[in-house]
Amino acid sequence: MSRVALVTGASRGIGRSIAEELAGSGHRVAVNFHSSPDRADEVVAAINGAGGTAMAVGADVGDTDAVAAMYEQIGEAWGSVEVLVNNAGITRDGLLMRMGPEDWDAVMETNLRAAYLCTRAALRGMLKARFGRIVAHYESDGFETERARSFGEFFRRCFGHPAVRAFYIWGGYANLGNYPG
């Protein structure tokens, strides 16, 4: 049986690789993007061209209404999301004294709030199906590693059903165009 997967931030880099791997193992993959529809279309074309099934779903995953609309779009096409990979993330690295509140808010919205919103939206369908996998993916530095561990532990304890499992992974630094230099 083909499961429905959503990968946030899947229009490039590690998110793209995750989406392609899930599709290669038989999942129908919703390729989320925020500002790169052309890149998302390339990922979808690559997956579909390789015999998989994918569709692009544009949404700012830090926005409650956008997340609801994204899940509605996926649900109408394929049903409930059963595998969620919270991959979307941004950085505004710099000294705290030079970081403006707007930068701080953007990072928290994309990196933390988005994972909360997407996970919350997926849980009802996962619990009803008695199956769900939630992965939180973060790059590795001190703050990110601790955040990933804390978030993963939080989600693992809050689901209320043993068939819904949460995992957190973090890899080394990868300059995929997210960082200057």
Side-chain angles (χ1 to χ4, degrees), residues 117-147:
L117 291 175
C118 289
T119 300
R120 185 171 180 255
L123 278 176
R124 179 165 304 185
M126 289 178 176
L127 292 171
K128 185 176 180 183
R130 297 181 178 268
F131 179 89
R133 300 296 181 264
I134 300 167
V135 178
H137 171 254
Y138 300 104
E139 289 186 5
S140 182
D141 67 20
F143 177 72
E144 297 288 335
T145 300
E146 186 58 30
R147 179 173 54 103

mmCIF file of all heavy atoms in Angstrom, residues 117-147:
data_model
loop_
_atom_site.group_PDB
_atom_site.id
_atom_site.type_symbol
_atom_site.label_atom_id
_atom_site.label_comp_id
_atom_site.label_asym_id
_atom_site.label_seq_id
_atom_site.Cartn_x
_atom_site.Cartn_y
_atom_site.Cartn_z
ATOM 1 N N LEU A 117 2.765 23.376 13.548
ATOM 2 C CA LEU A 117 1.543 23.467 12.746
ATOM 3 C C LEU A 117 1.364 22.250 11.839
ATOM 4 O O LEU A 117 0.264 21.700 11.739
ATOM 5 C CB LEU A 117 1.555 24.745 11.900
ATOM 6 C CG LEU A 117 1.421 26.062 12.646
ATOM 7 C CD1 LEU A 117 1.584 27.239 11.675
ATOM 8 C CD2 LEU A 117 0.083 26.153 13.379
ATOM 9 N N CYS A 118 2.440 21.849 11.175
ATOM 10 C CA CYS A 118 2.342 20.710 10.258
ATOM 11 C C CYS A 118 2.085 19.411 11.006
ATOM 12 O O CYS A 118 1.291 18.569 10.557
ATOM 13 C CB CYS A 118 3.604 20.614 9.402
ATOM 14 S SG CYS A 118 3.723 21.940 8.172
ATOM 15 N N THR A 119 2.725 19.238 12.139
ATOM 16 C CA THR A 119 2.510 18.035 12.936
ATOM 17 C C THR A 119 1.086 18.003 13.473
ATOM 18 O O THR A 119 0.401 16.973 13.402
ATOM 19 C CB THR A 119 3.526 17.962 14.088
ATOM 20 O OG1 THR A 119 4.842 17.931 13.525
ATOM 21 C CG2 THR A 119 3.308 16.736 14.949
ATOM 22 N N ARG A 120 0.635 19.105 13.988
ATOM 23 C CA ARG A 120 -0.732 19.185 14.525
ATOM 24 C C ARG A 120 -1.758 18.860 13.450
ATOM 25 O O ARG A 120 -2.719 18.131 13.695
ATOM 26 C CB ARG A 120 -0.964 20.582 15.091
ATOM 27 C CG ARG A 120 -2.291 20.752 15.771
ATOM 28 C CD ARG A 120 -2.321 22.095 16.491
ATOM 29 N NE ARG A 120 -3.582 22.281 17.145
ATOM 30 C CZ ARG A 120 -4.531 23.109 16.691
ATOM 31 N NH1 ARG A 120 -4.333 23.831 15.615
ATOM 32 N NH2 ARG A 120 -5.660 23.223 17.351
ATOM 33 N N ALA A 121 -1.548 19.375 12.243
ATOM 34 C CA ALA A 121 -2.477 19.130 11.142
ATOM 35 C C ALA A 121 -2.472 17.665 10.709
ATOM 36 O O ALA A 121 -3.487 17.142 10.246
ATOM 37 C CB ALA A 121 -2.137 20.034 9.958
ATOM 38 N N ALA A 122 -1.344 16.993 10.844
ATOM 39 C CA ALA A 122 -1.236 15.597 10.413
ATOM 40 C C ALA A 122 -1.795 14.612 11.434
ATOM 41 O O ALA A 122 -2.226 13.513 11.064
ATOM 42 C CB ALA A 122 0.227 15.250 10.136
ATOM 43 N N LEU A 123 -1.794 14.973 12.692
ATOM 44 C CA LEU A 123 -2.098 14.003 13.750
ATOM 45 C C LEU A 123 -3.483 13.375 13.669
ATOM 46 O O LEU A 123 -3.619 12.170 13.880
ATOM 47 C CB LEU A 123 -1.905 14.638 15.129
ATOM 48 C CG LEU A 123 -0.469 14.659 15.613
ATOM 49 C CD1 LEU A 123 -0.369 15.394 16.935
ATOM 50 C CD2 LEU A 123 0.084 13.249 15.748
ATOM 51 N N ARG A 124 -4.503 14.130 13.363
ATOM 52 C CA ARG A 124 -5.859 13.566 13.347
ATOM 53 C C ARG A 124 -5.952 12.390 12.375
ATOM 54 O O ARG A 124 -6.452 11.322 12.725
ATOM 55 C CB ARG A 124 -6.878 14.630 12.987
ATOM 56 C CG ARG A 124 -8.300 14.062 12.927
ATOM 57 C CD ARG A 124 -9.306 15.130 12.925
ATOM 58 N NE ARG A 124 -9.011 15.897 14.142
ATOM 59 C CZ ARG A 124 -9.727 16.898 14.584
ATOM 60 N NH1 ARG A 124 -10.770 17.271 13.950
ATOM 61 N NH2 ARG A 124 -9.407 17.536 15.669
ATOM 62 N N GLY A 125 -5.446 12.592 11.161
ATOM 63 C CA GLY A 125 -5.469 11.509 10.170
ATOM 64 C C GLY A 125 -4.602 10.337 10.584
ATOM 65 O O GLY A 125 -4.958 9.175 10.369
ATOM 66 N N MET A 126 -3.465 10.624 11.176
ATOM 67 C CA MET A 126 -2.568 9.556 11.626
ATOM 68 C C MET A 126 -3.214 8.730 12.736
ATOM 69 O O MET A 126 -3.147 7.498 12.721
ATOM 70 C CB MET A 126 -1.237 10.135 12.108
ATOM 71 C CG MET A 126 -0.379 10.683 11.003
ATOM 72 S SD MET A 126 1.139 11.397 11.692
ATOM 73 C CE MET A 126 2.001 11.845 10.201
ATOM 74 N N LEU A 127 -3.817 9.399 13.686
ATOM 75 C CA LEU A 127 -4.466 8.679 14.785
ATOM 76 C C LEU A 127 -5.646 7.854 14.284
ATOM 77 O O LEU A 127 -5.849 6.716 14.724
ATOM 78 C CB LEU A 127 -4.901 9.662 15.872
ATOM 79 C CG LEU A 127 -3.750 10.324 16.637
ATOM 80 C CD1 LEU A 127 -4.282 11.435 17.538
ATOM 81 C CD2 LEU A 127 -2.965 9.301 17.444
ATOM 82 N N LYS A 128 -6.412 8.419 13.363
ATOM 83 C CA LYS A 128 -7.547 7.686 12.795
ATOM 84 C C LYS A 128 -7.066 6.451 12.039
ATOM 85 O O LYS A 128 -7.671 5.380 12.131
ATOM 86 C CB LYS A 128 -8.343 8.597 11.863
ATOM 87 C CG LYS A 128 -9.592 7.976 11.315
ATOM 88 C CD LYS A 128 -10.374 8.965 10.480
ATOM 89 C CE LYS A 128 -11.624 8.311 9.930
ATOM 90 N NZ LYS A 128 -12.370 9.212 9.069
ATOM 91 N N ALA A 129 -5.968 6.574 11.306
ATOM 92 C CA ALA A 129 -5.421 5.456 10.537
ATOM 93 C C ALA A 129 -4.621 4.491 11.409
ATOM 94 O O ALA A 129 -4.256 3.407 10.960
ATOM 95 C CB ALA A 129 -4.532 5.985 9.421
ATOM 96 N N ARG A 130 -4.339 4.914 12.629
ATOM 97 C CA ARG A 130 -3.485 4.132 13.533
ATOM 98 C C ARG A 130 -2.108 3.874 12.927
ATOM 99 O O ARG A 130 -1.501 2.824 13.111
ATOM 100 C CB ARG A 130 -4.152 2.822 13.949
ATOM 101 C CG ARG A 130 -5.418 3.021 14.730
ATOM 102 C CD ARG A 130 -6.027 1.695 15.132
ATOM 103 N NE ARG A 130 -7.221 1.915 15.914
ATOM 104 C CZ ARG A 130 -7.246 2.000 17.239
ATOM 105 N NH1 ARG A 130 -6.141 1.897 17.928
ATOM 106 N NH2 ARG A 130 -8.379 2.199 17.878
ATOM 107 N N PHE A 131 -1.657 4.878 12.179
ATOM 108 C CA PHE A 131 -0.312 4.831 11.598
ATOM 109 C C PHE A 131 0.147 6.264 11.345
ATOM 110 O O PHE A 131 -0.586 7.080 10.809
ATOM 111 C CB PHE A 131 -0.283 4.080 10.267
ATOM 112 C CG PHE A 131 1.095 4.060 9.659
ATOM 113 C CD1 PHE A 131 1.978 3.044 9.965
ATOM 114 C CD2 PHE A 131 1.518 5.085 8.822
ATOM 115 C CE1 PHE A 131 3.265 3.043 9.439
ATOM 116 C CE2 PHE A 131 2.798 5.085 8.292
ATOM 117 C CZ PHE A 131 3.668 4.073 8.604
ATOM 118 N N GLY A 132 1.379 6.533 11.723
ATOM 119 C CA GLY A 132 1.960 7.827 11.398
ATOM 120 C C GLY A 132 3.442 7.838 11.714
ATOM 121 O O GLY A 132 3.898 7.195 12.664
ATOM 122 N N ARG A 133 4.166 8.543 10.883
ATOM 123 C CA ARG A 133 5.592 8.740 11.107
ATOM 124 C C ARG A 133 5.879 10.219 10.926
ATOM 125 O O ARG A 133 5.515 10.804 9.905
ATOM 126 C CB ARG A 133 6.441 7.922 10.120
ATOM 127 C CG ARG A 133 6.227 6.416 10.194
ATOM 128 C CD ARG A 133 6.655 5.856 11.544
ATOM 129 N NE ARG A 133 6.487 4.408 11.624
ATOM 130 C CZ ARG A 133 5.436 3.805 12.154
ATOM 131 N NH1 ARG A 133 4.431 4.513 12.647
ATOM 132 N NH2 ARG A 133 5.377 2.491 12.203
ATOM 133 N N ILE A 134 6.513 10.790 11.921
ATOM 134 C CA ILE A 134 6.854 12.207 11.892
ATOM 135 C C ILE A 134 8.345 12.334 12.116
ATOM 136 O O ILE A 134 8.885 11.809 13.091
ATOM 137 C CB ILE A 134 6.078 12.990 12.964
ATOM 138 C CG1 ILE A 134 4.572 12.841 12.712
ATOM 139 C CG2 ILE A 134 6.499 14.455 12.966
ATOM 140 C CD1 ILE A 134 3.711 13.292 13.858
ATOM 141 N N VAL A 135 8.984 13.013 11.185
ATOM 142 C CA VAL A 135 10.425 13.208 11.262
ATOM 143 C C VAL A 135 10.691 14.708 11.336
ATOM 144 O O VAL A 135 10.155 15.476 10.547
ATOM 145 C CB VAL A 135 11.144 12.614 10.026
ATOM 146 C CG1 VAL A 135 12.639 12.876 10.103
ATOM 147 C CG2 VAL A 135 10.845 11.132 9.901
ATOM 148 N N ALA A 136 11.508 15.094 12.291
ATOM 149 C CA ALA A 136 11.986 16.473 12.378
ATOM 150 C C ALA A 136 13.439 16.463 11.946
ATOM 151 O O ALA A 136 14.264 15.781 12.549
ATOM 152 C CB ALA A 136 11.856 16.998 13.806
ATOM 153 N N HIS A 137 13.746 17.177 10.870
ATOM 154 C CA HIS A 137 15.113 17.223 10.347
ATOM 155 C C HIS A 137 15.699 18.607 10.583
ATOM 156 O O HIS A 137 15.090 19.610 10.225
ATOM 157 C CB HIS A 137 15.141 16.919 8.849
ATOM 158 C CG HIS A 137 16.481 17.181 8.255
ATOM 159 N ND1 HIS A 137 16.729 18.258 7.457
ATOM 160 C CD2 HIS A 137 17.663 16.536 8.391
ATOM 161 C CE1 HIS A 137 18.004 18.253 7.109
ATOM 162 N NE2 HIS A 137 18.584 17.225 7.662
ATOM 163 N N TYR A 138 16.877 18.645 11.174
ATOM 164 C CA TYR A 138 17.562 19.902 11.420
ATOM 165 C C TYR A 138 19.036 19.748 11.121
ATOM 166 O O TYR A 138 19.598 18.668 11.264
ATOM 167 C CB TYR A 138 17.384 20.345 12.881
ATOM 168 C CG TYR A 138 15.953 20.547 13.242
ATOM 169 C CD1 TYR A 138 15.267 19.611 14.001
ATOM 170 C CD2 TYR A 138 15.264 21.659 12.792
ATOM 171 C CE1 TYR A 138 13.932 19.785 14.317
ATOM 172 C CE2 TYR A 138 13.926 21.843 13.094
ATOM 173 C CZ TYR A 138 13.273 20.903 13.862
ATOM 174 O OH TYR A 138 11.954 21.068 14.158
ATOM 175 N N GLU A 139 19.648 20.857 10.732
ATOM 176 C CA GLU A 139 21.100 20.850 10.552
ATOM 177 C C GLU A 139 21.748 20.973 11.910
ATOM 178 O O GLU A 139 21.120 21.360 12.882
ATOM 179 C CB GLU A 139 21.519 22.003 9.648
ATOM 180 C CG GLU A 139 21.104 21.764 8.213
ATOM 181 C CD GLU A 139 21.627 22.810 7.271
ATOM 182 O OE1 GLU A 139 22.404 23.678 7.709
ATOM 183 O OE2 GLU A 139 21.262 22.755 6.106
ATOM 184 N N SER A 140 23.017 20.663 11.957
ATOM 185 C CA SER A 140 23.692 20.538 13.238
ATOM 186 C C SER A 140 24.524 21.762 13.592
ATOM 187 O O SER A 140 25.503 22.079 12.932
ATOM 188 C CB SER A 140 24.591 19.302 13.211
ATOM 189 O OG SER A 140 25.209 19.143 14.453
ATOM 190 N N ASP A 141 24.104 22.458 14.593
ATOM 191 C CA ASP A 141 24.935 23.371 15.362
ATOM 192 C C ASP A 141 24.369 23.303 16.772
ATOM 193 O O ASP A 141 23.419 22.584 17.012
ATOM 194 C CB ASP A 141 24.975 24.795 14.785
ATOM 195 C CG ASP A 141 23.648 25.535 14.875
ATOM 196 O OD1 ASP A 141 22.792 25.152 15.685
ATOM 197 O OD2 ASP A 141 23.466 26.510 14.137
ATOM 198 N N GLY A 142 24.935 23.980 17.712
ATOM 199 C CA GLY A 142 24.502 23.825 19.101
ATOM 200 C C GLY A 142 23.022 24.039 19.316
ATOM 201 O O GLY A 142 22.335 23.214 19.891
ATOM 202 N N PHE A 143 22.491 25.152 18.819
ATOM 203 C CA PHE A 143 21.087 25.472 19.024
ATOM 204 C C PHE A 143 20.192 24.487 18.278
ATOM 205 O O PHE A 143 19.245 23.963 18.830
ATOM 206 C CB PHE A 143 20.804 26.902 18.555
ATOM 207 C CG PHE A 143 19.357 27.286 18.658
ATOM 208 C CD1 PHE A 143 18.773 27.502 19.889
ATOM 209 C CD2 PHE A 143 18.587 27.422 17.521
ATOM 210 C CE1 PHE A 143 17.445 27.858 19.990
ATOM 211 C CE2 PHE A 143 17.263 27.777 17.610
ATOM 212 C CZ PHE A 143 16.687 27.995 18.842
ATOM 213 N N GLU A 144 20.507 24.220 17.014
ATOM 214 C CA GLU A 144 19.679 23.343 16.209
ATOM 215 C C GLU A 144 19.638 21.933 16.789
ATOM 216 O O GLU A 144 18.598 21.300 16.818
ATOM 217 C CB GLU A 144 20.193 23.297 14.762
ATOM 218 C CG GLU A 144 20.129 24.614 14.038
ATOM 219 C CD GLU A 144 18.719 25.028 13.668
ATOM 220 O OE1 GLU A 144 17.840 24.167 13.524
ATOM 221 O OE2 GLU A 144 18.496 26.239 13.536
ATOM 222 N N THR A 145 20.771 21.418 17.215
ATOM 223 C CA THR A 145 20.823 20.067 17.749
ATOM 224 C C THR A 145 19.962 19.950 19.001
ATOM 225 O O THR A 145 19.171 19.018 19.145
ATOM 226 C CB THR A 145 22.283 19.679 18.066
ATOM 227 O OG1 THR A 145 23.038 19.758 16.859
ATOM 228 C CG2 THR A 145 22.363 18.278 18.628
ATOM 229 N N GLU A 146 20.085 20.886 19.894
ATOM 230 C CA GLU A 146 19.281 20.860 21.122
ATOM 231 C C GLU A 146 17.805 21.030 20.800
ATOM 232 O O GLU A 146 16.948 20.379 21.381
ATOM 233 C CB GLU A 146 19.751 21.942 22.087
ATOM 234 C CG GLU A 146 19.064 21.894 23.430
ATOM 235 C CD GLU A 146 19.233 20.560 24.146
ATOM 236 O OE1 GLU A 146 20.254 19.885 23.967
ATOM 237 O OE2 GLU A 146 18.320 20.187 24.914
ATOM 238 N N ARG A 147 17.494 21.907 19.856
ATOM 239 C CA ARG A 147 16.105 22.130 19.460
ATOM 240 C C ARG A 147 15.523 20.856 18.863
ATOM 241 O O ARG A 147 14.405 20.466 19.180
ATOM 242 C CB ARG A 147 16.024 23.262 18.441
ATOM 243 C CG ARG A 147 14.637 23.543 17.963
ATOM 244 C CD ARG A 147 14.609 24.775 17.104
ATOM 245 N NE ARG A 147 15.538 24.695 16.021
ATOM 246 C CZ ARG A 147 15.196 24.432 14.768
ATOM 247 N NH1 ARG A 147 13.945 24.219 14.459
ATOM 248 N NH2 ARG A 147 16.111 24.390 13.828
#
